[in-house]
Amino acid sequence: MLNVVAIPAFTDNYIWCLQDKGKAILVDPGEARPALVYLQAHNLQLTDILVTHHHADHIGGINALLDIYPDTVVHGLKSPRVPQVSQVVVPEENCYLPSLGLTFDVLLLPGHTRDHIAFYHQEVGLFCGDTLFSGGCGRLFEGTPEQMYRSLSRLSALKDETKVYCTHEYTQANLRFAKTVEPGNQALARYSDWVDQQRSKQLPSLPSSIGQERAINPFLRCTSAQIRQQAEQYRGITLPTPEAVFAALRDWKDHF
């Protein structure tokens, strides 16, 4: 039976491990040591690595992992910034992982970086890197607010039950901002209480779900009248479109 486990790395990263029948797939292994410790402790053979984007905290452990598991296939976009990729994926096409019999859709989601991708499986879930966080979204290092808004809107259209496997434990900080933006959101208040309980036990707040994020994440709620009003108050101008509301929220969060 397929199991998805969060391997903590650095101070707030998660390396997601998909495992079944002694085989394992890692998503965005930014640090090798915790991944190696986990794989060896559970007698797992690493067969594949999925890469969402080129930032060091997502790919920094790949070389050391390949030293130990040289037959591992690294799936990602063709990019000089991720030279370890051995199986190039194509956005809007499929990525097949024969070791676990899984086929993922490859989604191009520019915003955090120009060439950010996600891996989506209708039953397993969404491995979205730094595009969507629980209660938040990634900073815009290379893309535009309009690009990120379109990327998040695309994810928001997925089924409610879709599990969201993002790669940072940013949830509590994101929810502090979300409650400032939308203080009357009761679903957000309840979720924040649950997250605080999880973190007090040193348990992950992830995975979330698309339905949960649609209910509590301000970056997926840019059509809300209250959120638009709050964003306009922050900017001091009228914001005529959801994209403009998103841009104001992202700037506000950057300085929160």
Side-chain angles (χ1 to χ4, degrees):
M1 181 177 178
L2 182 69
N3 193 21
V4 182
V5 175
I7 303 173
F10 301 115
T11 57
D12 54 31
N13 280 64
Y14 290 132
I15 301 166
W16 292 105
C17 179
L18 293 76
Q19 61 191 67
D20 189 21
K21 299 178 181 177
K23 297 178 180 179
I25 296 167
L26 295 179
V27 183
D28 286 350
E31 188 178 13
R33 185 177 180 278
L36 287 169
V37 168
Y38 183 84
L39 293 170
Q40 292 167 2
H42 294 83
N43 297 313
L44 294 169
Q45 176 66 36
L46 179 63
T47 62
D48 299 86
I49 293 172
L50 305 181
V51 178
T52 64
H53 66 293
H54 68 274
H55 285 163
D57 65 321
H58 292 252
I59 68 169
I62 293 178
N63 287 338
L65 289 165
L66 292 177
D67 287 342
I68 306 298
Y69 302 99
D71 295 329
T72 299
V73 180
V74 181
H75 305 260
L77 294 180
K78 183 177 182 179
S79 169
R81 301 192 288 189
V82 193
Q84 302 94 336
V85 167
S86 54
Q87 182 64 52
V88 174
V89 301
V90 178
E92 316 315 321
E93 295 189 5
N94 294 332
C95 172
Y96 178 58
L97 307 174
S99 64
L100 296 186
L102 296 173
T103 299
F104 285 88
D105 295 333
V106 180
L107 311 180
L108 182 61
L109 301 172
H112 181 65
T113 64
R114 290 189 303 273
D115 52 358
H116 197 297
I117 59 174
F119 295 87
Y120 168 67
H121 187 286
Q122 187 168 335
E123 281 77 40
V124 179
L126 173 73
F127 296 86
C128 55
D130 287 356
T131 296
L132 175 64
F133 297 132
S134 186
C137 71
R139 287 178 178 266
L140 307 183
F141 288 110
E142 297 177 359
T144 66
E146 292 76 18
Q147 286 177 318
M148 183 62 112
Y149 179 78
R150 287 194 294 270
S151 293
L152 292 173
S153 296
R154 183 177 189 185
L155 299 184
S156 183
L158 297 175
K159 292 183 178 180
D160 281 359
E161 59 269 25
T162 302
K163 291 182 179 179
V164 176
Y165 296 97
C166 49
T167 47
H168 287 281
E169 184 58 73
Y170 289 165
T171 311
Q172 283 180 308
N174 287 338
L175 296 185
R176 284 193 290 271
F177 175 71
K179 288 189 288 186
T180 299
V181 173
E182 199 175 15
N185 186 326
Q186 294 304 305
L188 172 57
R190 291 190 296 270
Y191 182 59
S192 181
D193 288 342
W194 177 84
V195 169
D196 288 345
Q197 292 173 14
Q198 288 290 100
R199 298 305 295 149
S200 71
K201 302 172 189 175
Q202 296 186 323
L203 296 173
S205 66
L206 303 168
S208 181
S209 70
I210 291 295
Q212 181 72 71
E213 294 308 308
R214 264 204 299 270
I216 61 92
N217 190 326
F219 295 101
L220 301 189
R221 297 174 56 77
C222 294
T223 59
S224 160
Q226 182 183 20
I227 289 179
R228 184 183 71 246
Q229 183 180 19
Q230 292 280 77
E232 288 178 339
Q233 184 175 342
Y234 168 74
R235 273 282 171 90
I237 59 173
T238 299
L239 300 173
T241 65
E243 291 88 345
V245 172
F246 171 82
L249 290 177
R250 187 61 260 180
D251 182 73
W252 188 359
K253 178 64 166 61
D254 289 345
H255 299 92
F256 184 70

